[in-house]
Amino acid sequence: MRDWIRSLLAGRPWWMNALMLFSAYMAFVYVPWDLFMKPVAHDEEVWFGIRFTGWAAKATEPLHWAIYAAGAYGFHRMRPWMWPWASVYVGQIAVAMLVWNLVYVESGSGWAFGILSGAAFAGLAAVLWQARPRFQPASHLLRERYGEWALVTGASAGIGADFARALAGEGLSCVLTARREEKLRALASELEQTHGVATRVVAVDLAEASGADALVDAVADLEIAVLVNNAGAGYAGRFERQDSERLRAMVQLNCTAPVVLTSRLLPAMRERGRGAIVVVGSIAGRQPLPLHGVYSATKAFDLLFGEALSVELSGQGIDVLVIEPGPTATEFQSVAGEIEHRREPAANVVRLALESLGRQPSAVSGWFNWLRANVATRLLPRPLVAWIARDVIAPRIPEEMR
Ligand SMILES: NC(=O)c1ccc[n+]([C@@H]2O[C@H](COP(=O)([O-])OP(=O)(O)OC[C@H]3O[C@@H](n4cnc5c(N)ncnc54)[C@H](OP(=O)(O)O)[C@@H]3O)[C@@H](O)[C@H]2O)c1
């Protein structure tokens, strides 16, 4: 518990922690009380110094709640959009304090209190404005933070290829691995020409029992600083219609390979006292997913493995992140045998992963996916979530596999 509180408060100055806790208090205690418990006749809100009372005040409270909830989350995760909005909101309070005391407070000292409190909030707004670099993603420091070489599995396509591009853009040399060697070679020369980094191509099948060990042996002379466990595949369809050999290969690729790679590359990171491990999970891992049952179970495995590891390695200089994409524009859907449906660009997933690395143990890509993963699957009973998921996914599965 003490370690959890320490990790919650780490990485921010004390005054930002105070603002985070205050925002959480407002979002979870004060504003819900204001909204649901306070009689309408007593309700009063001030925006930019203008007073709202009764139902007009009540109507502004959901916005109030959303602002404090966003503030608590934004400080907790140090999201980039906190600049300039945190500062703008506190500036609004400064104006409100001044105008309110000058216009509405009738006692003689009202103007003095208005100036003093307005100045205090204006000062806080200025400090938040100055704090912009704290909210910026630290990803441009990746090479300095972790070291020279990144190993990206599944780099011949999709999210893995974009991970390699982004890491090379940060100046990291890249080991590119997958089965299709010609695609890896094309990407390697692109990275060398565009970013001037060194590359190494290792063609390996990670669904083979010996694949992960063969890969580690092929990079034994390199100091792997960033490991991206990205290679993975889905397999859509009713379980009883699925091929058992392909299921075995998927479990080996999605679960065993990341475990073996992490286990073999971690000791050298521990010795150097720095490193990063990214596991590409999926929002499919947050719930039972009928017609994708084994795949969703492999991604639940990845999520729990990565989150547990991030706690074990906390304070050791090694950052662990599970990035959880939703449907993404890659070869995934056609490989899995799905009918193609709405997808977000792979570059968005990679950007969020690099922004979140070192700041949180897991991150869901996309606000709609976030709501699915954090609200729907937590508030509804899991069997109900599974039935809903089956109805959503069924039209995406070819008739003969349903
Ligand atoms: N796209 C999505 O909608 C989505 C959503 C959530 C999570 N994800 C996760 O994102 C990760 C990357 O998938 P993606 O969307 O980028 O799909 P993708 O475009 O199909 O890429 C998969 C990558 O994994 C490699 N791979 C597949 N089987 C392999 C094997 N047996 N051995 C070695 N490498 C293998 C592929 O290369 P070769 O074929 O050349 O071997 C390819 O580079 C996966 O872990 C997936 O579960 C994807």
Side-chain angles (χ1 to χ4, degrees), residues 138-152 163-176 187-188 190-192 194-200 222-228 269 272 274-278 354 357:
S139 59
H140 62 285
L141 300 172
L142 281 184
R143 187 180 158 127
E144 282 160 48
R145 268 157 69 192
Y146 301 124
E148 189 191 340
W149 279 88
L151 188 163
V152 182
F163 256 115
R165 289 189 181 97
L167 291 165
E170 302 270 345
L172 275 98
S173 299
C174 290
V175 177
L176 308 173
L187 180 60
E190 176 195 322
L191 301 185
E192 284 166 16
T194 315
H195 302 293
V197 296
T199 62
R200 180 177 294 180
L222 304 178
E223 289 192 350
I224 301 299
V226 178
L227 166 62
V228 182
M269 290 183 193
R272 294 193 294 272
R274 62 180 185 157
I277 295 161
V278 176
L354 297 187
L357 186 58

Side-chain angles (χ1 to χ4, degrees), residues 154-160 178-180 204-207 230-233 253 280-282 295 299 325-328 330-332 335:
S156 63
I159 296 171
R179 291 166 304 180
R180 287 171 292 175
V204 70
D205 186 346
L206 291 174
N230 162 77
L253 175 67
V280 181
S282 167
Y295 174 70
K299 290 293 153 176
T328 308
T330 67
E331 298 173 5
F332 178 89
V335 172

Side-chain angles (χ1 to χ4, degrees), residues 98-285:
L98 183 65
V99 175
W100 170 263
N101 281 287
L102 292 184
V103 175
Y104 296 105
V105 177
E106 281 162 14
S107 81
S109 58
W111 64 271
F113 185 73
I115 290 173
L116 280 178
S117 56
F121 279 101
L124 185 57
V127 174
L128 280 166
W129 187 270
Q130 294 293 325
R132 181 180 191 179
R134 290 187 176 275
F135 296 108
Q136 294 301 301
S139 59
H140 62 285
L141 300 172
L142 281 184
R143 187 180 158 127
E144 282 160 48
R145 268 157 69 192
Y146 301 124
E148 189 191 340
W149 279 88
L151 188 163
V152 182
T153 69
S156 63
I159 296 171
D162 273 355
F163 256 115
R165 289 189 181 97
L167 291 165
E170 302 270 345
L172 275 98
S173 299
C174 290
V175 177
L176 308 173
T177 179
R179 291 166 304 180
R180 287 171 292 175
E181 190 168 348
E182 69 293 351
K183 284 200 164 258
L184 296 174
R185 295 220 171 276
L187 180 60
S189 60
E190 176 195 322
L191 301 185
E192 284 166 16
Q193 281 163 24
T194 315
H195 302 293
V197 296
T199 62
R200 180 177 294 180
V201 165
V202 183
V204 70
D205 186 346
L206 291 174
E208 295 285 333
S210 59
D213 285 312
L215 173 56
V216 175
D217 293 344
V219 298
D221 57 321
L222 304 178
E223 289 192 350
I224 301 299
V226 178
L227 166 62
V228 182
N229 285 305
N230 162 77
Y235 183 12
R238 180 179 285 272
F239 180 70
E240 68 203 42
R241 297 198 175 148
Q242 290 180 318
D243 171 59
S244 61
E245 181 49 31
R246 191 168 160 190
L247 288 169
R248 187 207 59 77
M250 181 170 68
V251 174
Q252 180 80 28
L253 175 67
N254 293 4
C255 304
T256 311
V259 170
V260 173
L261 290 174
T262 305
S263 152
R264 290 210 44 204
L265 292 171
L266 181 59
M269 290 183 193
R270 289 280 286 110
E271 247 169 57
R272 294 193 294 272
R274 62 180 185 157
I277 295 161
V278 176
V279 180
V280 181
S282 167
I283 57 160

